[in-house]
Amino acid sequence: MTEQSEQEREQFAQFEKDGEERVRLNLKNYRYPHAAEALAIRWLAPKNEAAAQRREALDTEQIELARRTTRSAKEANTIAWIALAVAVAALVLSIFLAIRGHGAA
């Protein structure tokens, strides 16, 4: 790896001053001469890698959140089915007791 020239350091300092968003916009709109364009791409490379790592971490987080949400929904569904079964059993028992109570009279 070669040592950065003074001109490269100055250009990188200008990129830092301009900020990532403006550098990307300038690249997109072909506002840099060829040499500066190559430096801009080189300057953005580690930032692109960091952004990719952040996206990957976010994707992993979202997948885990979706899994937890699915588990919670399944648990809630199970509880609802149990509640339904208890309600049906209570209804059947109350009907049975009502019929039995009228028959004894």
Side-chain angles (χ1 to χ4, degrees):
M1 186 110 165
T2 61
E3 199 174 298
Q4 275 187 337
S5 70
E6 184 63 29
Q7 186 178 6
E8 286 177 341
R9 280 192 293 277
E10 287 174 7
Q11 185 66 64
F12 281 3
Q14 184 61 49
F15 293 152
E16 289 292 338
K17 181 180 172 192
D18 291 345
E20 188 176 338
E21 187 175 327
R22 172 151 313 224
V23 171
R24 288 185 190 285
L25 183 63
N26 288 342
L27 271 174
K28 180 180 175 184
N29 293 322
Y30 305 102
R31 292 196 177 136
Y32 293 126
H34 183 70
E37 182 178 304
L39 287 175
I41 292 168
R42 198 167 93 201
W43 180 78
L44 285 169
K47 294 167 183 359
N48 291 339
E49 179 63 30
Q53 289 174 350
R54 285 191 303 274
R55 278 192 304 275
E56 185 177 325
L58 183 58
D59 288 349
T60 301
E61 215 173 286
Q62 288 175 338
I63 289 168
E64 181 55 32
L65 178 60
R67 286 182 179 145
R68 284 195 311 258
T69 301
T70 300
R71 267 194 308 272
S72 294
K74 286 180 180 178
E75 289 172 7
N77 199 21
T78 299
I79 291 168
W81 278 108
I82 291 169
L84 178 62
V86 169
V88 168
L91 179 62
V92 168
L93 181 60
S94 66
I95 291 171
F96 172 75
L97 291 175
I99 292 172
R100 187 168 182 243
H102 286 295

